[in-house]
Structures are given as structure tokens and as C-alpha cells.
Amino acid sequence: MSIRFFGPESPADDLARDGGGKAAHMARLHTLGVRVPEWCCIPATVYDSHKDRGELPADVRDDVRAALGELGLSDALIAVRSSGIGEDSAERSFAGQYASFLFQRGDAQIAKAVVDCWASAVSERNVAYRKHTGDTSAPRMGVILQRMVDSEVSGVAFSRNPLVASDRDSIVIDSVIGQGEGLVSGELDADHFEVHRTTMAIKAAIAHKEQARVRDEGGGTKLVTVAGDRARQPSLSDDQVREVARLAQQMHDAFGPQDIEWARANGTLYCLQTRPITTLPPDAVFDARVNGDEVVIWDNSNIIESFAGVTTPLTFTHVNRCYREVYLQYCRVMGVPQLVIAAQEPVFRNMLGLVRGRVYYNLVNWYKLLGMFPGASTSKGFMETMMGVQQALPVELSHVLNPKAIGATYSAPRRLMVLLRTLYRLTRTKSYVAEFMARVERVSRMLEAKDLRALSVPQQVAVYRVLEDDVLRHWTAPIVNDTRCMVAFGMLGALTTRWVARPGDDVGSLRNDLLCGEGDLKSTEPTKLLMRIAERVDRGDAATKRLFLDNAPDIVWAKLEAGAAPVILAEFKAFLREFGFRCVNELKLEEPDLHDDPRFVVSSVQSYLKLGSYSIKAMEEREAAIRQRAEATVRERLGGLRRLLYFASVRWARRAVSDREMLRFERTRMFGVTRRLFRGMGANFERLGLIGDERDVFYLTLDEIIGFHEGRSLATNFRSLVALRRAEFAEYRATPAPPDRFVTRGAATTVMRYPGVLQEADLLASEGADDDPNILRGTPCSPGVVEAPVRVAESLADAEGISREILVTERTDPGWVPVFPACAGLIIERGSLLSHSAVVARELGVPTIVGVRGKPMQRLKTGQRVRMDGGKGEVHIL
């Protein structure tokens, strides 16, 4: 033979260089004495010489025939399997990227299969995989020729659980009837076994295996129906499961965590191949001596309303800086001793976390913050309600609410003084709000009038300092009012439960009804203004009405700017001047606002016009009726001093919620200015050649930008830094998000580097779905019973043109509000009673349920009919 074929006893260096990863691992199995079907490997040097010919030359065919003859496989069925150079390495598995061909026999079939294996080295999917993993090497391939095992049962085994990285005790086995090809592709349902590596105890989940892949007489495999009871019976006996588990453990002990393909035929277990499990973190991640063991609870409850999906570095570092400054300021204003504040600097610095690009609350630190104040154990529930946290602080972490545990002596007299000061501040909120509003108005008007793009980098940094010094460091009113809102809302709920509620009453629903119909909610102003524009169009000339009814939003806008309906255009322009900073994901500074794309406001007006749903008076009357019914219930059940105290509590809560929405509106306004400022900085960085596009600035951190101006930048090659972060954040967007609530132990960022570290035993999932599969339950927010088809919307674009359908979405923010009047109801997977969507929906009179359990985004499909009861928080799937 002119070709030197590789085999089980070939030198390791030769196999690594020219045999390919699969062949190298099979040779390692030989050293362990593991039973592997006979094989040889055509080296990659043959691929190098003949890959472009499209067929196997005659001399190579002769050598293949001779090699198989030496193995006694001349007339045997052969598996022809790709073995790429670098395949199954610790860095890249190339799993599923190369081709293999089963049950091949004879020169012609085998020769064609070899050439087809070579072709898979440069397939479109392989090229894409290399690009995604950063592999710039030229593809090279060996090809394995192996005796085909006509298996009765086959499958895969993992010597460590590949999905739950913290599970260090389980060996995981999946098996199917016949060939494992259908299992690897996901085509077939498989039996699933988890075997404890020490006790060999088995947990089994047996699938209904209706089909199997078996040998096709013409070559390859075919799909057949599994007959009789065999489909429901386990494909492996307990003894056979343990035999596979022992094989997996043997290879784990020799080579570390392994992903193994195996097959059983004629009573014999064969190992077909093995590769390292590349997704597991190092063992040190679970070693407290290296990674630590500090417990952190991460929860994205209401924060997802403001920062949905992946958030860029610049937005996160700006927001994190704001949270630190605001809560430091809050503690000082409320009189928390400076010694306590100084000792808790890590708490203020880490109110938030960025986990694989997603913003989360670091809940332990929020509880520690609460623990700095008197009455923490009582107000803890109020805070959880306000934040939308659906589970209480675990008992084992209750010590964080103990003031003596926060690192400083905090005497009872001093705590009494803080309590009195807090109560005093809560009674002075009105004056704080007025002062804050005047300050924001002054700074905003000044900066909104500036062309921030025309400023130099030092001038832009100076503007950021103005925002910090003149607004952020005077954030007393919003944060004190948040406390007022938390306490007032919590007290109202407690009084309703104790004094008003009767058996069977929904306390939350009654409280919500009392809070609706306030009439002056700032967050509804943009929607009401668009409704007025719709009314003007409807009652105006026919040509303008037809313009809106017959054209797409972008065409309407273009024609308005070209001179059609100048009065309507003027109203839109006035809307944008006042509310143009409001948009979907309005606190994510990388997102475009309505100034960038006004089509959404046109679309909203079109929806109101088509539905005739622009009567603000009717909306307000509907809300007033709900409120009056709730007030009548209270008057019927309470009298005397209790009634006076209760309605005083109602008025306090109404004002607190209304002020909260107004102050959040002003916060968004400041973020609108900040968005324009950062875009201007990006434009300057682009002109300076530091980045390729002005929007690349959002992949830098705030300190990197300011440090560049001040001369303390650690790097100036921002283009490479941006490219690196873009790739990393693109991976975050392309992979599943972490759970809504979970625990980490040790260094928190290990969860970013090794997402499998999220431990299933640690997942603090919200309450599950109802026992009835056709019922979903959540938190009632705005009353009303409606039966209608649903519109499932992952983004606002999915809700475009909604018309008396029930909107189903994961979360909303103020940018969604203009679509609410066109909806028959709202079913929102996330959120709380005080989340923006809940407050505004109550005011607009749209039946709404938030915090809906049971994964409504997955359970419901667009067009499906449901009946929802916003007062009870129930969704019945019809």
C-alpha cells in the first residue's frame, strides 16, 4: 500500500497531526482496553492531495480495499466517519459539523462516502461554525473506516451532567432502539437515565418510542415503526444501564468528563467514540477555597420592564453609577450613620448586576440596604411587592436584615432618630417633588436646546458632570417618594385585609380598584395626546382620514412632511418635542427614540382611528365607575374612625402612586438627554478614528469614555475592544437568557463565563402554573372580563395593528402604552402591582393581569381565544 493508514496503535503525534480528533480518541480507548469495533483511518494527507478531485482515485481505492482486507472487513458493512483535524478537542467539539455514512458496503459506496466526508469539511455550516468559534485554520480531515455495529439499542452517555454543571454525581444516559443517528439529530424520543456514580442508583424517564432508525438494505438507515409494547418498555434493563454507566466512569477517570457514543449488539456493549465535554467549567468553580461560597440571589422582577434583553456596557455602567449615587444619597438624607454607610460601600456599588448581558437586582444587597433602617422585617414585604419579587427572603439569609450584621454599631436611640427622620421626610414629599420638578425642568430645557453633537469631547464630559451635579446628586424626591409609595401601598393592602375584606374577596383587586381613575397620571399624557390627534383626524377632512387609513405608517409620515395635513403634522411635531424621548426600552440608551423613528406614533393614531377608540371622556368615566364601586364597598363595610383612617390611607396611596409615575417620567426625560449626549460622544469618537461607527460607543464603559478625556485610559485601541465586546454580547443575544431568579455561590461572574454553573437545585422559580392546564393565573391589576383572541408579541413590532385582541407579552415599558387603548386586555408575564404597565393600564381602563405564571408566552398562540378576568387574575384558555 502507498498510503500509511492509522489504527489503534498509531503514534499519538501522528494521529493528532493527520488522523483527526475522532481517530485520536479512539486510539486512546484502545489503551484502556475498551471494546471498540475494528477500524483504520485514511490520513489527512490524502485529503490534502485529492480533496478537489470530486472522486477517489483508483490507487486510493486499491489501498482502501487492501486496508479493509487486513482488518478482515472486506465483505463487512462499514461506517465511514469524518475525523476532522481539531475535532473533539477541549476548545472546539465540531459536534454535528461533519458527515458520516453508515452501513456502506463495496468499493463504490465506500469511495463515494469518503469523498462526501471530505466535502463536509468545507460545508456552509462548517464554515459558519469556524467563524463563530474564531477558528481561522484551514480545514483538514482524516476519514475513519470502521466495522458497522448493527445495534439493537444505541445512545449517548455523559460522564458528567452537561446541562447542570453543579451536578457532580450523575452519569447521564440517553438511549433509543436501533441506531443512534436519530437520537443525535433530535429526530427520535429517547429513554433518559441518570445514574448516581457512587451508589449506581437509577432515575429513569421512559419515552414512548414510536419510531426507530435501522439498517437500510440499500445503504444507510431508514425510519421504521416500533411494534407493540416495545415502544413503551425501557430500551435498557437496569443491569445494562449500569454497564453503560461503568463504561462512562472508566473513561471519566482516565480522560476527564466525556461525551460517549455507544451501541449494543448480540449482547455486547461497544464504545463507538468519545470526546471531551467542552461546556463544563473547571472544577475550581465549585471549590470554595478558590471561587468562594458567598450566596447571591439574582432577580430581574421589575427591572426587566426597564432593561429587557441584552443591555450594552455604556448603559449598564451609567445606570449602575446612578443607583449607587441615589441610594447613598437616600441613606444620608434619612440619617443613617456615616459609619454604617461607609462600611456598606460594596452594597451601594452592587445594587445591580450584569449577567450575560442582562440586568438583574442583586437582591441580597437590597435586603442589606433595607436592614439599615428600623422596621426592616415589617417593611420587607412592602419592598418585595413594590419590586415584583414573588418569593420572600430565604430563612437562611434572614441575618442580612439584622442591623448588627451590617458591620457597624447601630444603637436603638440612633435607630429611633432615623425612624423619626424618615417619617418627617415622608410628610414633606410634596415640597421635595416641587423642588425636584423645577430643577429637572431647568436643566432639561437648557440641555434640550443645545446641539450636543456639536460639542467637543471635553465639553460633552462637562455636560455629563452637569447632569451628575445638578440632577443626580439632588435625587431626593424620587427616592423618598418611592419609600412613601412602598409604605402607602403596603399599608393600604394591610388595612384592606384587616378591616374591609370578606372571605373570598381578592384584596389586591379591591385595592387596585380604589387606586384607578386618578385622572392626572403623567404617564397617560402621551397616549391621551395621540388619542386627541386621532379624534382630530377622524373629524377632519376626508382626504386626511383616508391618508391614515390606507397607507403604511412610513408613507403617512413621508406625506405629512411633504405638506399633507400641516395642522396634523404640527401636532405630531409638538408631541415629539414633548415626548420624543419616550420609546420602547426607553432607559436603554442604545435604543432609538421617537425622534429617530416616528412611525410608531403614526401607527398608534391609525389604530385608534380604525377602532374609534379615542374617547378620553369615555375612558375616564369607565375608570371613575370602577373606583366609585370600590369606594361604595368600603363605605358599606366601614364606618366612623376606621372609615376616616382608611380613606386617608387611600388618598395617601393615590398621591404616592401618581407622584411616582410623574417622577419616573422625569427620569426618562433625563435619560433622553443622556442618550443624545452619548450619541454625540460616539460621533466625536468616530471622527477621531477611535471607533468605526458612532453607535459603537455603547460598547465602551462610562469610565473608559471619561478616562479617555482625563488622560487615565488604560487602552486606546477601542476598535478592537468594541469588536471583542460586540462578539461577546452577540453570543449573549443568541443564547438562552439566564432564569428570572437564581442563586450564585462564589465569584458572581462565573455565571457569565460558565452559564452551566446555574444550579438547578438553586433555581428559585416562581409559583408554577395552575393544576388545570387550561387556566393561567397571575396578579390582578385592572378589572374587567373579556373574551377575545390573543396577540402574542415578543416585541412591539409584533403588536402593530392590534385591534381588540388581548395582548400577551413578557413585559412592557412606557413605550408600549400607546397600544393599550387598542387592546381588549393585557396578559403580561412579568411585573407587579406597581409596575408601570399595571399602573397605566388601571388608569386607561384596560383589563390587565401581570406576573402571569405558567409561561403564557409559550402556552398561548396568536389567534387562540381566551377569557380573562382582570379582577380575579385568571385566564381561561378556550
Side-chain angles (χ1 to χ4, degrees):
M1 290 187 297
S2 60
I3 298 174
R4 180 190 171 208
F5 286 76
F6 294 124
E9 298 178 351
S10 298
D13 290 346
D14 291 353
L15 283 167
R17 183 178 60 252
D18 289 322
K22 197 170 295 179
H25 287 304
M26 288 171 64
R28 295 168 74 194
L29 295 177
H30 177 73
T31 65
L32 283 183
V34 174
R35 188 182 299 275
V36 180
E38 300 92 317
W39 64 278
C40 63
C41 177
I42 305 171
T45 50
V46 180
Y47 167 86
D48 297 337
S49 301
H50 303 292
K51 61 184 177 182
D52 297 326
R53 299 188 57 164
E55 61 180 6
L56 210 60
D59 57 336
V60 178
R61 285 193 184 207
D62 291 343
D63 287 345
V64 166
R65 187 183 310 112
L68 291 175
E70 289 184 6
L71 291 173
L73 301 178
S74 296
D75 297 319
L77 289 164
I78 301 297
V80 182
R81 308 170 68 194
S82 302
S83 181
I85 307 302
E87 181 182 5
D88 293 345
S89 68
E91 294 78 24
R92 298 177 183 88
S93 70
F94 283 90
Q97 303 304 312
Y98 296 127
S100 291
F101 301 91
L102 309 182
F103 294 105
Q104 305 295 296
R105 175 180 277 159
D107 287 356
Q109 274 194 346
I110 293 172
K112 183 178 185 306
V114 169
V115 172
D116 288 343
C117 283
W118 286 348
S120 70
V122 290
S123 67
E124 184 176 343
R125 68 179 178 180
N126 194 284
V127 170
Y129 178 86
R130 287 176 176 275
K131 182 177 180 180
H132 177 73
T133 59
D135 186 347
T136 58
S137 63
R140 299 180 69 236
M141 179 176 287
V143 177
I144 293 169
L145 308 174
Q146 186 175 30
R147 182 170 63 83
M148 186 69 218
V149 176
D150 192 0
S151 54
E152 296 114 18
V153 182
S154 57
V156 296
F158 299 93
S159 66
R160 277 269 304 275
N161 193 325
L163 299 180
V164 184
S166 61
D167 180 1
R168 304 166 66 74
D169 295 323
S170 297
I171 296 169
V172 178
I173 300 168
D174 288 334
S175 63
V176 294
I177 298 169
Q179 294 295 315
E181 181 183 4
L183 169 62
V184 175
S185 67
E187 177 185 39
L188 301 178
D189 291 330
D191 292 341
H192 180 79
F193 305 93
E194 293 183 13
V195 184
H196 192 281
R197 68 177 66 254
T198 304
T199 66
M200 285 289 157
I202 300 170
K203 289 194 300 183
I206 307 304
H208 185 198
K209 301 169 289 296
E210 296 178 340
Q211 294 180 308
R213 282 237 164 241
V214 299
R215 173 189 171 190
D216 188 338
E217 294 297 334
T221 63
K222 63 182 178 181
L223 203 60
V224 298
T225 300
V226 178
D229 293 337
R230 194 181 180 200
R232 296 181 178 83
Q233 294 173 349
S235 51
L236 295 173
S237 69
D238 284 357
D239 287 344
Q240 291 169 345
V241 169
R242 293 189 178 99
E243 184 182 13
V244 176
R246 284 191 290 271
L247 172 65
Q249 184 62 47
Q250 178 187 9
M251 290 196 280
H252 182 103
D253 293 341
F255 308 129
Q258 295 291 295
D259 169 359
I260 303 149
E261 291 186 27
W262 56 269
R264 288 189 64 85
N266 301 318
T268 300
L269 175 65
Y270 294 93
C271 182
L272 304 179
Q273 72 175 65
T274 186
R275 63 168 67 95
I277 302 176
T278 61
T279 57
L280 293 175
D283 287 345
V285 169
F286 306 100
D287 187 342
R289 295 169 300 176
V290 179
N291 200 42
D293 58 2
E294 181 180 3
V295 174
V296 178
I297 303 174
W298 302 96
D299 192 304
N300 66 2
S301 296
N302 282 358
I303 199 76
I304 197 174
E305 188 176 86
S306 300
F307 302 100
V310 170
T311 297
T312 58
L314 182 53
T315 291
F316 176 74
T317 51
H318 167 70
V319 170
N320 197 54
R321 188 176 184 133
C322 292
Y323 269 73
R324 177 188 178 277
E325 176 60 38
V326 164
Y327 284 97
L328 272 171
Q329 183 185 137
Y330 175 67
C331 289
R332 292 183 185 125
V333 165
M334 293 304 191
V336 176
Q338 184 57 39
L339 186 62
V340 173
I341 293 174
Q344 296 303 307
E345 166 58 24
V347 170
F348 300 106
R349 193 172 61 244
N350 296 291
M351 306 297 291
L352 303 177
L354 194 68
V355 183
R356 295 189 70 76
R358 275 85 174 182
V359 181
Y360 282 79
Y361 290 126
N362 181 329
L363 268 191
V364 171
N365 281 346
W366 285 85
Y367 286 115
K368 287 181 178 178
L369 174 70
L370 191 65
M372 298 180 200
F373 294 87
S377 58
T378 300
S379 57
K380 168 176 79 74
F382 296 171
M383 184 189 80
E384 290 164 348
T385 297
M386 186 169 179
M387 296 175 70
V389 174
Q390 296 190 15
Q391 288 180 310
L393 179 69
V395 174
E396 61 270 24
L397 293 177
S398 59
H399 65 276
V400 301
L401 291 175
N402 180 357
K404 292 183 179 179
I406 62 178
T409 302
Y410 200 177
S411 65
R414 190 61 184 264
R415 290 177 67 78
L416 177 60
M417 187 173 69
V418 171
L419 175 61
L420 294 175
R421 189 164 182 170
T422 300
L423 293 174
Y424 171 75
R425 295 284 184 184
L426 294 182
T427 63
R428 293 286 312 280
T429 307
K430 184 176 181 180
S431 62
Y432 294 145
V433 169
E435 180 185 341
F436 178 80
M437 295 295 291
R439 179 179 292 276
V440 170
E441 175 67 17
R442 173 176 57 79
V443 175
S444 294
R445 291 299 179 197
M446 175 185 69
L447 295 180
E448 286 167 352
K450 280 182 178 289
D451 183 358
L452 300 179
R453 296 175 69 88
L455 303 180
S456 66
V457 172
Q459 289 172 324
Q460 289 166 339
V461 172
V463 169
Y464 189 82
R465 297 298 189 203
V466 167
L467 290 172
E468 279 193 314
D469 296 339
D470 289 2
V471 180
L472 183 59
R473 293 200 171 98
H474 298 272
W475 208 262
T476 304
I479 199 66
V480 170
N481 187 72
D482 273 354
T483 302
R484 179 176 67 148
C485 195
M486 178 184 79
V487 174
F489 197 75
M491 283 183 57
L492 180 59
L495 292 177
T496 304
T497 300
R498 185 172 299 179
W499 290 353
V500 182
R502 299 290 184 267
D505 282 353
D506 189 311
V507 172
S509 180
L510 179 57
R511 177 175 55 180
N512 295 341
D513 293 354
L514 288 164
L515 294 181
C516 70
E518 188 64 12
D520 62 348
L521 205 63
K522 186 73 175 179
S523 296
T524 64
E525 286 185 12
T527 299
K528 289 179 178 178
L529 182 52
L530 293 177
M531 293 171 79
R532 291 189 185 100
I533 294 175
E535 184 176 19
R536 184 181 291 274
V537 171
D538 194 29
R539 297 180 179 177
D541 63 89
T544 302
K545 186 174 180 179
R546 291 260 56 93
L547 170 65
F548 277 81
L549 292 176
D550 295 345
N551 295 284
D554 54 341
I555 295 175
V556 173
W557 186 255
K559 291 189 175 183
L560 289 175
E561 289 202 305
V567 173
I568 299 300
L569 177 63
E571 292 197 7
F572 273 125
K573 294 284 189 180
F575 176 90
L576 292 175
R577 281 194 301 272
E578 194 69 21
F579 304 115
F581 54 83
R582 303 233 84 167
C583 59
V584 178
N585 294 321
E586 60 189 14
L587 299 189
K588 293 175 69 173
L589 302 173
E590 63 271 18
E591 297 286 339
D593 62 17
L594 297 179
H595 294 290
D596 298 313
D597 186 0
R599 289 177 299 174
F600 174 62
V601 293
V602 175
S603 174
S604 298
V605 169
Q606 288 176 311
S607 293
Y608 306 154
L609 192 60
K610 291 172 182 176
L611 294 171
S613 59
Y614 51 69
S615 174
I616 297 171
K617 181 180 179 182
M619 178 182 70
E620 292 176 344
E621 288 175 348
R622 183 170 59 248
E623 285 302 283
I626 293 171
R627 176 169 165 170
Q628 289 164 8
R629 284 196 299 271
E631 289 175 345
T633 299
V634 174
R635 290 191 179 93
E636 179 184 314
R637 297 178 181 180
L638 288 182
L641 181 59
R642 282 192 172 186
R643 179 191 289 182
L644 292 173
L645 292 175
Y646 186 83
F647 277 111
S649 176
V650 170
R651 288 192 296 273
W652 195 40
R654 284 172 179 165
R655 193 69 260 157
V657 171
S658 179
D659 284 350
R660 182 170 183 253
E661 287 300 302
M662 179 173 63
L663 292 167
R664 292 176 76 179
F665 185 90
E666 297 304 320
R667 177 192 64 181
T668 303
R669 185 178 180 185
M670 297 310 303
F671 267 68
V673 172
T674 307
R675 175 185 287 109
R676 290 176 50 231
L677 177 64
F678 285 164
R679 291 268 290 271
M681 289 177 171
N684 278 337
F685 272 41
E686 181 184 357
R687 294 185 193 108
L688 290 169
L690 299 170
I691 55 180
D693 181 270
E694 69 175 57
R695 292 183 182 273
D696 288 347
V697 76
F698 291 105
Y699 287 90
L700 302 177
T701 68
L702 181 60
D703 197 56
E704 285 166 348
I705 292 170
I706 295 176
F708 174 81
H709 157 61
E710 294 177 344
R712 53 183 176 81
S713 179
L714 300 181
T716 56
N717 187 359
F718 287 152
R719 285 176 179 263
S720 296
L721 188 58
V722 165
L724 178 67
R725 285 185 183 151
R726 273 193 178 276
E728 190 168 10
F729 277 67
E731 179 191 346
Y732 297 156
R733 292 186 184 94
T735 53
D740 300 329
R741 181 178 170 100
F742 60 91
V743 164
T744 57
R745 287 174 168 79
T749 303
T750 52
V751 77
M752 297 177 66
R753 179 66 180 86
Y754 305 109
V757 171
L758 295 183
Q759 304 174 33
E760 187 170 10
D762 289 336
L763 299 187
L764 305 175
S766 301
E767 184 182 341
D770 195 273
D771 290 339
D772 186 333
N774 292 316
I775 297 179
L776 301 172
R777 299 185 192 275
T779 302
C781 282
S782 181
V785 178
V786 60
E787 181 178 316
V790 300
R791 172 83 71 91
V792 180
E794 293 185 4
S795 67
L796 186 57
D798 297 332
E800 185 174 343
I802 193 167
S803 177
R804 290 289 179 257
E805 298 156 90
I806 297 173
L807 177 65
V808 180
T809 189
E810 181 187 11
R811 33 71 63 187
T812 63
D813 63 18
W816 289 69
V817 171
V819 307
F820 286 6
C823 301
L826 302 174
I827 297 173
I828 303 174
E829 195 167 301
R830 310 302 305 281
S832 71
L833 288 169
L834 285 176
S835 63
H836 179 84
S837 52
V839 172
V840 175
R842 281 198 294 268
E843 196 65 19
L844 296 177
V846 181
T848 300
I849 308 172
V850 301
V852 181
R853 302 178 291 276
K855 301 293 184 184
M857 290 289 289
Q858 298 176 20
R859 292 276 304 282
L860 299 174
K861 306 297 181 186
T862 294
Q864 197 170 6
R865 290 189 69 83
V866 305
R867 182 173 63 253
M868 66 173 289
D869 187 330
K872 292 182 178 180
E874 293 181 353
V875 179
H876 293 257
I877 303 172
L878 304 179

